[in-house]
Amino acid sequence: MMKNQQVAVIGSLNYDLLLKQERLPKKGETFTADDLIQGPGGKGANQAAQCAKLGLSTSMIGKVGEDRFGDALIGSLQAFGVNVDYIGKKGTTGMGIVNVLPDGDYHSTLLRGANYLVTKEDIDRSLEVITGCQYILLQQEIPQSIVEYIIEKTRDAQCQIVLNNAPARDVSETSLAAVDILVVNETEAEFMTGCKVTSVESANEVAQNLVKKVKNTVIVTLGALGVVVATREESIYTPANKVEAVDATGAGDSFIGAFVFGLIEGYTLQKAIDLATSASSITVSRAGGSESFPTLRELEGLALSHYL
C-alpha cells in the first residue's frame, strides 16, 4: 500500500447526539426516544476519519469550540491518526441532533457553531499542507465563501478537488469548473439541476448534465438503489450491497473516504466505487458515526482482498 499519499479535508466538525426512536414526534407532541448515542460527527471530520481508518495520511482543517465537545472531537480524530494541527478553537462547537428511525433513515438538525468561524486567514495558514496533498475534500458545512476561496486558491495546484455539495448550495460556474469530482445524493442533484431523481435512469440523466460543468467526474448516490457515476468518457451504475440498515448516519462520508482511498491506491473507477459501496454498507449496518466506519482490515474481511 502507498503510505506516502495525503488527503486534506477542509470542513465541519460537529459533536453529534443521535436519538434512536420509533418515529418523529408530531407537531406539539412530546415523544420518548429509545436510546442515545453521542460522539464525533460533521461531514468534514467524518470523511477525514474514514480516510485515516483506511491508512491514508490525512490532515483536517477546520474549527471547534473552546469547550469539552471540541476537545472530544480533536481527540477522536487523533485516535484515528488524523493530523489535527490545523484545527483551530473559537466560540462554541458545532452540534448535530440526529433522529434515527428503525429503518436506519435519519433526520438531522445542525448548529453551525465554530464551523462558521473558519476564515480566509485560516485557509492561508494551512495552504502549504492543503496544496501538498493529492486530494482535497470539501463539503458545505462551513461558509460558502470559504469553500469557493479554497477552490480558487488550489485550482492550479497539483491536487484533485472533491466537492461533496452537501448540504446543497448554489455553486458558481467558475468553482464547479475547477472541481475534479462532484459528489451529490438525490436531493442535492435535484437542487443543482431542477430535475427530480427517482430512479437509476433519471440519476444517470442528471449525472450526464452535471458532468459537463465539472472537470471530470460526477457521483450521484442513491441510498438503497446504489450509485451512478458519470465521466466524460463513461457512465457506471453500481447497485448497493444488500444489508440490514441500522443507521445511515455518515454513510455518504464513509463512501467518499473509501472512494478516495481506492483512487489513491490506483484502482480503476469501477473498483474504487465497489470498495466505497462496501464501506458504506458496513457503516449503515452499525450504529453510530465515525466509530462505525470500517478499517482496511474489515474491508479485507468482506472478501474484497482481490481489490487490495
Side-chain angles (χ1 to χ4, degrees):
M1 191 174 74
M2 299 167 65
K3 295 284 189 180
N4 62 337
Q5 300 301 308
Q6 293 184 327
V7 175
V9 183
I10 308 100
S12 59
L13 301 99
N14 293 326
Y15 193 84
D16 284 350
L17 300 175
L18 283 72
L19 298 169
K20 301 189 73 173
Q21 56 198 88
E22 284 298 312
R23 60 174 175 82
L24 293 176
K26 299 175 183 177
K27 183 178 180 180
E29 177 188 16
T30 299
F31 189 77
T32 302
D34 299 315
D35 196 12
L36 169 67
I37 300 172
Q38 48 186 317
K43 293 184 183 298
N46 281 346
Q47 292 174 22
Q50 182 62 93
C51 287
K53 289 183 80 170
L54 293 176
L56 295 177
S57 176
T58 306
S59 294
M60 179 75 210
I61 295 95
K63 268 201 177 125
V64 296
E66 299 172 290
D67 49 39
R68 65 184 181 90
F69 299 117
D71 292 339
L73 289 172
I74 291 174
S76 70
L77 287 177
Q78 282 180 311
F80 292 138
V82 176
N83 174 17
V84 298
D85 292 345
Y86 299 93
I87 299 177
K89 284 188 173 185
K90 189 174 182 180
T92 303
T93 296
M95 302 283 287
I97 311 299
V98 185
N99 306 95
V100 182
L101 303 181
D103 62 358
D105 205 356
Y106 65 94
H107 300 259
S108 183
T109 301
L110 296 181
L111 170 67
R112 292 172 171 178
N115 294 310
Y116 266 64
L117 300 178
V118 177
T119 66
K120 292 180 180 180
E121 290 72 24
D122 294 324
I123 302 306
D124 290 341
R125 283 192 292 270
S126 310
L127 204 54
E128 185 175 355
V129 70
I130 295 171
T131 56
C133 290
Q134 186 170 349
Y135 280 83
I136 299 169
L137 274 56
L138 301 170
Q139 320 79 36
Q140 296 283 21
E141 290 181 344
I142 61 175
Q144 182 169 2
S145 60
I146 300 301
V147 174
E148 301 222 357
Y149 182 73
I150 295 164
I151 293 172
E152 177 59 32
K153 296 289 282 188
T154 60
R155 63 187 306 134
D156 295 325
Q158 299 300 308
C159 319
Q160 297 283 303
I161 299 174
V162 181
L163 175 62
N164 178 205
N165 195 30
R169 286 177 178 161
D170 288 318
V171 183
S172 70
E173 291 184 7
T174 302
S175 290
L176 269 183
V179 169
D180 295 278
I181 302 169
L182 174 68
V183 184
V184 289
N185 64 16
E186 311 100 303
T187 303
E188 294 144 8
E190 180 181 342
F191 177 88
M192 296 186 73
T193 62
C195 301
K196 283 193 174 296
V197 177
T198 57
S199 64
V200 173
E201 292 73 22
S202 59
N204 187 57
E205 291 178 10
V206 165
Q208 294 294 340
N209 181 335
L210 287 172
V211 80
K212 299 171 185 176
K213 302 179 180 181
V214 303
K215 273 191 177 180
N216 188 53
T217 305
V218 170
I219 298 173
V220 181
T221 58
L222 302 171
L225 282 179
V227 59
V228 168
V229 183
T231 71
R232 295 183 183 277
E233 294 79 32
E234 61 180 330
S235 181
I236 298 171
Y237 166 65
T238 301
N241 295 340
K242 292 184 179 180
V243 296
E244 183 176 347
V246 173
D247 181 0
T249 307
D253 302 321
S254 177
F255 179 96
I256 291 170
F259 177 68
V260 168
F261 169 84
L263 295 180
I264 287 175
E265 290 294 302
Y267 292 7
T268 64
L269 183 61
Q270 179 66 72
K271 286 185 177 181
I273 290 294
D274 289 343
L275 182 80
T277 299
S278 295
S280 61
S281 71
I282 291 175
T283 295
V284 301
S285 70
R286 304 194 286 214
S290 53
E291 296 90 346
S292 69
F293 296 170
T295 63
L296 186 58
R297 179 172 293 183
E298 287 176 313
L299 285 178
E300 289 173 333
L302 198 62
L304 289 176
S305 57
H306 58 294
Y307 290 158
L308 304 170

